[in-house]
Amino acid sequence: MIRMFEQHRIRWQKELDGYWDFGKVENELQSEVYSRKLIVPGCWEQDIQLCTYRGKGVYKKNIFLEKGLYRLIFKGVSHSADVLIDGCFLGSHYNAYTEFNLEFLIEQTGNHELKVLVDNSFNEASALHIPNDYYTYGGIIRPVVLEKLAEVYIENMFFTSVMESGGWTAKINFQLKNTTKIQQTVALECYMDELPIEDPILNNITLNDSERKFFTISKHFKAINEWSMEHPTLYSLNAILKKGVDLHLMDDLIDRVGFRQISTKSGRLLLNEQPINLKGFNRHEDYNLSGCSLSPSLSAIDIALIKDLHANTVRTAHYPNDERFLDMCDENGLLVWEESHARGITIESMQNPNFEKQSNNCIIEMVTGHYNHPSIILWGILNECASDCMEGRRIYSEQFSLIKSMDTSRLLTYATCKHFTDLCLDLVDIISINIYHAWYEKERSMENILKAYEKEYTWIQETGGFGKPIIISEFGAGAIYGYRSPYLQKWTEERQAEIIERCLEVYLSRDEIVGTLIWQFADCRVTEEGWALSRPRGYNNKGIVDEYRRPKLAYQSVKRIFSEV
Ligand code: ADA
């Protein structure tokens, strides 16, 4: 399954899921040995003999193709990919969590060989995937889609909704691409559900040789059903490209959109002009035995548990998520803080010559790919990176400018751990702090939690955060599933529940705190390099469910407290 809804009725599309031939590549001078078959999408760690393999591997699949122009869309390859068709290099991509696509021409109908060289190793070339408190898996972790392209096709369609003059205005930005060397003239029809959205410019669009054409239309609606947490109304936005005097069907693109607006006012967070509070979790895409490649059914289990917990928000710590999970958030009225890929990168590592290019590419691909999801209300960047020095501030500032150049409809934030030293609070709409009161500190009384928070709140008011809404973006404690003791030793479920209860009681008593996001929803695997020895079981155990989604004691505490706010 590519998305939770049909994206094309005209364009030919095929998902290349199922078994692919696979071989480890431990010596690039050797010819490839395809020793097994692996399921795509999936992580190679799902294979018992590859569970700890870090290095290169090659996937191969033979596909029958007729003559024509095609596009391959890879929704996620972890973490680096080189793609070849019939031995010819098509292109490469870095970063597991964003999609990339490659066009290619088939001149001979018949069987063709598709190969993908994948690498999940840690080295200087990889500035974002580094030894970390989450695992970098290996493989073609998300769907692969093959499309046949017409002479002109709809490359992108961006929908923005604005509350104005007593109703809603929909703005739709189209990007068409001429794949030929000759001038093409087309017509575009656009529907929202069955309602036509007309504009004279759609009737006659001319594209020159290989031209990409961008244009925007808009339509005002007096009465429309808003997208909200309680009523997440979605509309099908359908664009149809036609050509020639007979206006024959050429291409189409269907997406799902919602009318909603996110803003801040007087220190409050507003959804459709109504104040809201975020209550939820940080969630890694990690499920025991299936790694970071979550099928829709596994993602649906998480959605159901998050709703059972009376939560309304998920932070995609610390990278862009699988689109099908975001589709589910759209359908269920869950709010999303989506963030570009980075966790705890020092200023020295941010100066890796690959870092800014890789980080900016991730942002561009995240915003481009996920723009139309109404559930995404916040863009975040650079979790716990170097926001406490001027060089780091330059990078934060440039990345926020990059996002604003692509999307001004969402709020911006970043999660900091640079307590009392952060230099970037003035750059964002919402201040977000990661603070593990009572876990990483010895003291765990509520008085101490409150005192520690108030001290930081005062500092925030004086250093760029004055009057801004605050999210406690990470707080929590570790617990090993099944380790129970009335003595509340560290790592017991009882201790975790107590700490989360006390923290929530303090944070929920503060008006300026508009969000509380527990670290974390589920336990996740960490890298053996640099982390496994300091993380019991080689896992980050701060989930309120474990990696099998078995609830710990804290589950009931959180469910009770979230049901009351
Ligand atoms: C940081 C980090 C998380 C996780 C957490 C922890 O806040 O953002 O990814 O590592 O610490 O468990 O200590």
Side-chain angles (χ1 to χ4, degrees):
M1 179 186 273
I2 302 163
R3 294 292 298 275
M4 299 306 285
F5 59 93
E6 185 185 37
Q7 276 196 297
H8 298 284
R9 295 185 188 123
I10 298 168
R11 187 184 305 175
W12 180 87
Q13 231 189 10
K14 179 182 180 169
E15 186 176 358
L16 302 182
D17 57 347
Y19 269 133
W20 289 45
D21 295 326
F22 177 82
K24 287 165 78 169
V25 176
E26 291 173 293
N27 175 340
E28 300 201 15
L29 301 177
Q30 272 175 345
S31 59
E32 287 137 12
V33 176
Y34 293 93
S35 58
R36 71 198 70 223
K37 289 182 182 299
L38 291 183
I39 289 287
V40 169
C43 307
W44 62 51
E45 290 83 1
Q46 292 167 227
D47 181 305
I48 191 161
Q49 294 173 342
L50 300 172
C51 184
T52 58
Y53 179 58
R54 188 165 300 289
K56 289 186 172 70
V58 58
Y59 287 80
K60 183 179 74 168
K61 188 174 189 65
N62 289 319
I63 42 181
F64 182 85
L65 296 171
E66 310 210 339
K67 250 178 88 164
L69 180 68
Y70 291 86
R71 181 168 78 154
L72 269 170
I73 301 173
F74 289 89
K75 294 288 187 178
V77 180
S78 186
H79 61 58
S80 294
D82 289 319
V83 182
L84 300 93
I85 190 86
D86 298 333
C88 300
F89 176 72
L90 280 188
S92 58
H93 182 267
Y94 172 80
N95 186 32
Y97 308 112
T98 44
E99 84 172 56
F100 64 101
N101 59 68
L102 301 164
E103 289 182 15
F104 61 99
L105 190 64
I106 291 293
E107 307 204 87
Q108 187 78 32
T109 296
N111 271 316
H112 295 272
E113 181 194 77
L114 174 58
K115 265 204 287 194
V116 185
L117 185 67
V118 180
D119 183 2
N120 78 338
S121 50
F122 296 138
N123 51 45
E124 179 73 9
S126 171
L128 305 178
H129 288 277
I130 58 177
N132 225 321
D133 202 10
Y134 62 97
Y135 200 82
T136 284
Y137 290 90
I140 303 177
I141 61 168
R142 295 179 184 165
V144 184
V145 189
L146 183 63
E147 299 184 325
K148 199 153 197 288
L149 299 178
E151 300 91 327
V152 178
Y153 73 95
I154 306 164
E155 196 171 21
N156 277 305
M157 175 167 69
F158 299 115
F159 173 89
T160 310
S161 56
V162 182
M163 278 179 115
E164 58 187 20
S165 36
W168 286 87
T169 299
K171 291 180 182 162
I172 309 165
N173 173 268
F174 294 97
Q175 295 179 2
L176 307 186
K177 185 177 179 184
N178 180 358
T179 62
T180 70
K181 297 284 184 208
I182 54 172
Q183 190 178 79
Q184 302 281 347
T185 299
V186 296
L188 190 123
E189 289 177 8
C190 182
Y191 299 88
M192 204 169 71
D193 286 358
E194 283 67 48
L195 179 73
I197 298 183
E198 288 156 337
D199 188 302
I201 65 168
L202 298 181
N203 303 331
N204 188 317
I205 307 160
T206 299
L207 297 96
N208 296 319
D209 161 9
S210 310
E211 182 186 6
R212 269 194 170 93
K213 190 145 214 152
F214 306 160
F215 53 91
T216 301
I217 63 171
S218 63
K219 181 175 179 65
H220 187 74
F221 296 87
K222 275 281 174 242
I224 202 85
N225 293 322
E226 295 173 353
W227 187 90
S228 68
M229 292 187 275
E230 299 75 19
H231 303 290
T233 305
L234 292 170
Y235 290 92
S236 174
L237 188 64
N238 186 353
I240 299 167
L241 214 48
K242 298 185 174 182
K243 185 190 174 188
V245 286
D246 63 343
L247 287 177
H248 68 268
L249 298 175
M250 183 184 233
D251 190 49
D252 70 338
L253 178 58
I254 303 168
D255 208 339
R256 277 188 336 189
V257 297
F259 285 80
R260 67 102 184 90
Q261 180 173 280
I262 192 73
S263 57
T264 61
K265 188 176 178 186
S266 315
R268 301 305 311 163
L269 180 58
L270 306 177
L271 176 66
N272 305 336
E273 304 289 307
Q274 299 302 313
I276 58 169
N277 275 299
L278 310 182
K279 47 181 182 171
F281 302 93
N282 291 274
R283 173 181 173 270
H284 270 296
E285 289 185 325
D286 190 308
Y287 213 103
N288 196 288
L289 300 182
S290 77
C292 68
S293 179
L294 270 63
S295 65
S297 58
L298 291 181
S299 292
I301 289 169
D302 286 359
I303 293 275
L305 289 172
I306 289 164
K307 290 178 72 176
D308 180 58
L309 284 154
H310 302 290
N312 61 19
T313 301
V314 177
R315 175 181 174 217
T316 69
H318 298 288
Y319 38 76
N321 270 200
D322 186 310
E323 275 219 278
R324 297 162 302 177
F325 177 77
L326 299 173
D327 287 340
M328 293 177 190
C329 291
D330 294 338
E331 285 189 57
N332 286 280
L334 289 175
L335 301 174
V336 175
W337 160 345
E338 186 161 60
E339 72 183 17
S340 66
H341 182 199
R343 182 212 167 274
I345 300 178
T346 62
I347 190 60
E348 293 73 26
S349 301
M350 287 171 87
Q351 281 158 350
N352 171 325
N354 297 306
F355 175 79
E356 289 190 63
K357 168 172 58 69
Q358 291 177 347
S359 195
N360 291 344
N361 282 344
C362 178
I363 286 173
I364 292 166
E365 291 167 347
M366 172 178 76
V367 177
T368 304
H370 297 170
Y371 187 93
N372 289 339
H373 288 280
S375 56
I376 299 174
I377 57 167
L378 283 171
W379 294 122
I381 63 169
L382 300 175
N383 173 75
E384 295 197 348
C385 296
S387 56
D388 57 349
C389 65
M390 289 314 287
E391 173 55 11
R393 176 183 166 88
R394 175 189 66 76
I395 296 172
Y396 273 79
S397 178
E398 287 179 5
Q399 291 201 1
F400 283 126
S401 299
L402 173 61
I403 294 179
K404 281 188 268 195
S405 71
M406 301 172 71
D407 181 5
T408 55
S409 70
R410 291 177 170 92
L411 299 173
L412 303 176
T413 190
Y414 67 96
T416 184
C417 66
K418 308 303 183 193
H419 308 292
F420 306 103
T421 59
D422 201 294
L423 299 177
C424 299
L425 301 184
D426 60 307
L427 298 177
V428 291
D429 303 299
I430 296 184
I431 306 298
S432 299
I433 53 176
N434 294 346
I435 182 78
Y436 287 83
H437 290 132
W439 174 254
Y440 285 126
E441 294 113 23
K442 182 173 174 304
E443 274 303 312
R444 48 194 235 247
S445 69
M446 278 181 57
E447 295 72 25
N448 270 323
I449 294 171
L450 181 58
K451 196 161 64 179
Y453 168 73
E454 284 178 330
K455 188 171 168 228
E456 184 150 10
Y457 172 66
T458 304
W459 178 80
I460 289 170
Q461 300 314 298
E462 295 155 0
T463 46
F466 180 75
K468 292 181 181 177
I470 293 176
I471 293 175
I472 310 294
S473 38
E474 292 182 30
F475 67 99
I480 308 288
Y481 176 80
Y483 178 19
R484 301 289 303 279
S485 161
Y487 300 104
L488 277 75
Q489 299 93 324
K490 235 182 170 78
W491 299 112
T492 57
E493 291 188 31
E494 286 82 354
R495 180 76 162 264
Q496 181 192 44
E498 177 206 65
I499 289 172
I500 290 177
E501 284 169 8
R502 289 187 175 166
C503 287
L504 276 173
E505 201 162 334
V506 169
Y507 305 149
L508 293 173
S509 70
R510 303 285 307 197
D511 285 343
E512 74 280 356
I513 294 179
V514 300
T516 49
L517 303 179
I518 295 169
W519 186 275
Q520 62 174 326
F521 171 68
D523 292 350
C524 71
R525 187 175 174 187
V526 303
T527 59
E528 295 199 357
E529 301 84 345
W531 284 84
L533 289 179
S534 64
R535 290 280 189 252
R537 310 187 300 136
Y539 271 74
N540 181 304
N541 299 283
K542 297 190 181 73
I544 67 159
V545 299
D546 75 353
E547 65 275 20
Y548 293 93
R549 274 49 182 179
R550 297 179 297 184
K552 302 174 189 175
L553 267 183
Y555 185 102
Q556 291 306 327
S557 305
V558 171
K559 180 171 179 175
R560 172 178 51 77
I561 297 168
F562 277 176
S563 71
E564 292 159 358
V565 290

